[in-house]
Amino acid sequence: MAEANPIGSCDSPQRTVKFQYEDENAHKKYPATLRYNKHLLRRRLEVEEWVFSQLRNLYDCKEDDNYEAILDLDALLDLPSDDERIVAIKETLPSCLKSTDKFERDLIEKLKSIQPAFGDQSKAF
């Protein structure tokens, strides 16, 4: 007869996995997955795709070309004010020959639409 594995088991009819910890009281039980707000995640993806296309336009990229700038939306969302975000965007796009003023304003507005999803985690779930 095979000996049961003390660390984990999938033989139960409920198909649960049990883990053995050195200090059972130290481990908090959390669900393995979290439910994310699908609308806000979809909105985030739309903003990222918009940024990608706008940067390609600002840098006059052909299909195979790449632009030189990388915008980190999370870093921009972490900044406390719109003025600081604009400064960060300008610092990221120094080699862009076209005017970035409209792009900056539009991006700030789009960031506001995804702010609750990634800036305030309590509203994201």
Side-chain angles (χ1 to χ4, degrees), residues 52 56 60-67:
F52 178 77
R56 289 184 64 79
D60 288 327
C61 294
K62 307 280 189 258
E63 285 186 32
D64 297 335
D65 294 343
N66 266 333
Y67 47 82

Side-chain angles (χ1 to χ4, degrees), residues 1-20:
M1 180 177 211
E3 189 176 310
N5 186 348
I7 295 177
S9 173
C10 288
D11 297 333
S12 69
Q14 297 172 348
R15 295 185 187 259
T16 59
V17 177
K18 296 180 181 179
F19 296 97
Q20 184 177 21

Side-chain angles (χ1 to χ4, degrees), residues 48-66:
E48 289 175 355
E49 290 173 347
W50 177 84
V51 167
F52 178 77
S53 68
Q54 293 298 308
L55 288 175
R56 289 184 64 79
N57 288 337
L58 285 172
Y59 283 93
D60 288 327
C61 294
K62 307 280 189 258
E63 285 186 32
D64 297 335
D65 294 343
N66 266 333

